[in-house]
Amino acid sequence: MRPAAGLAFMVLVSVACNEPASRQGEAERVPEPAAAPAPAPVRAPPHTGEESPPIRKDGTVYAESELMGTRVSINVWAGPPATADAAAAGLAVREAFAEMVRLEEIMSEWQRGSELSRLSDAAGGAPQRLSPELFAVLKRAREIAEDTDGAFDPTFHGVGQLWSFKPGAAPPSAEAIAAKLSLVGWQALELDPVAGTGRLAKPGMKLGLGAIGKGYAADVVSQLLVRKGFPNHVVELGGDTYAAGRKDGKPWMVGIQRPDGPGVVGAIPVTDGSVVTSGDYQRFFEYEGKRYAHIIDPKTGWPVPAERSPKSVTLVAKNGTDADAYCTAVAVMGVDAGFQFAEAHEGLEVVIVTQDDELKVTSGLRDVLVLPPPPDPKTPPGASRAGAVDREAVLP
Ligand code: AMP
Ligand code: MG
C-alpha cells in the first residue's frame, strides 16, 4: 500500500458475512464525488450473458452481485469515457464474477460438495489431492495461524460449526463446545507441497475459510483484471477490499464504516493494497441480555468476550489474503493485544474502534488516515462541500 497525495473515489469497508443466505454487513455505498448522479448499480449474475454494465461519466464501470453469502462489487477505471472500451471492461467484470463463483465452489464450507468440504469429510483418513488455489490459501492460512499463535485458525470450524449467528439464535451448550474443542488446532492441518495434498489429522476436524477466503478471492480477481488489461480497479467482497492502481491518476479512497453507522470514522487512500474490516457489530445475536458475535476465539470455542473485543478492526496489508486473516486475528486478540501485535508486525496497520468509540491507529497510518470534518450544524444534510474527499461520505 502506498499512501499518496491526491484522493479519489471512496469505497466503504464494512463487515463480512459468511453464513449462506443471510446478508448482513451491508456495505454502505458512497457516491462518486466527481460524477453527477451515479447510475443505479448493475446486478451482474455471473452465469448469464447480460449486457455489459455502462461506463459511467467518470470513466468507471461498476457492477455488484451476491456471492459468498455477501455482496461483492467491482469498480474498474476504464479510462476517459471518450476512449474507454465499455464492452471490454464489461467482459472483464463478468469474467471476474465468474472467477469468484469458481473460487466459492472450491472454498465454501457451506457447500457440501465443495473441495474444502470434501477435505473436511476426509479428516483422519488419507491425504487428499488439492487444487492449486485451495493449497495456496491453506498454506497461507496455516502460516498466519502460526504467526498469530492460533488467534486466526482455519480449523476453528470444528467448534464454529456449532454456532449460528442469525438473529434469534441461542448459544450452544458449554458441554457441546467443550466436546468439540479438541478438534481445533492448525498444527493438525498437514500440507504436502510435493504431492500437492492436504489432510486433517483427526477425525471430525473441519476447516472454515470465512476469515480468509474473501480476501484471497479479491487478490485472485484483481490479478485477473490486470491480465485483462484493466490494472486500475477496486474489488470488494463483503468489506474485504483490494484496490489496484489508481482512478484517473489518484489513489482509491477506502472508507471505514462507523460501527454504529451511518457515515465513516475515516478513509484511507490506497494504491495497490488491501483494506479489510472485521467487527462484532453486524453479525451477532443477543441471548439473555448478552451479545454473541461471529468471531470465535479458537482457544475457548466462544465468541471474543465483550471486555476485550473491538467494535471493529480495519487492517491494511499488501494483499487481501493477509489483510483478511490478520484482521480477524487482531479482533480475536482484542483491543490491546491486537493493537500491539499490529504495531510490531511489519506490513500491517490497523484502525481499531473500541467499545467506547475510541480510535486506536497504528503509527504507519496516523498521517495517512483522513478523518471526517467535524459536523457543521450550518450545512443542511445533502448539501455538498468542497474538499479533496467526498465530504458527504465522511460526515458522521
Ligand atoms: P472476518 O469477517 O474476516 O473477520 O471473518 C469472520 C468469519 O471467519 C466468521 O464468520 C467465521 O466464519 C470465521 N471465523 C470466526 N472466528 C475465526 C477464527 N478465530 N479464525 C478463523 N476464522 C474464524
Ligand atoms: Mg478475516
Side-chain angles (χ1 to χ4, degrees), residues 210-212 240 276 278 323-325 327-328:
I212 191 172
D240 289 15
V276 165
S278 291
D324 195 358
C327 191
T328 306

Side-chain angles (χ1 to χ4, degrees), residues 16 18 109 151-153 156 210-211 278 283 294-296 298 324 328 332:
N18 305 293
E109 64 263 36
F152 164 85
D153 186 338
F156 89 98
S278 291
R283 195 163 167 239
H294 70 139
I295 297 179
I296 288 176
D324 195 358
T328 306
V332 171

Side-chain angles (χ1 to χ4, degrees), residues 125-181:
Q128 303 292 303
R129 181 168 288 279
L130 303 179
S131 64
E133 292 88 346
L134 186 57
F135 192 93
V137 77
L138 288 176
K139 178 168 178 290
R140 192 65 187 133
R142 199 180 186 286
E143 289 164 356
I144 295 175
E146 182 168 15
D147 193 27
T148 61
D149 192 24
F152 164 85
D153 186 338
T155 69
F156 89 98
H157 197 48
V159 67
Q161 62 179 324
L162 297 175
W163 290 89
S164 166
F165 292 94
K166 292 182 177 149
S173 70
E175 296 72 35
I177 290 173
K180 294 278 186 199
L181 210 49

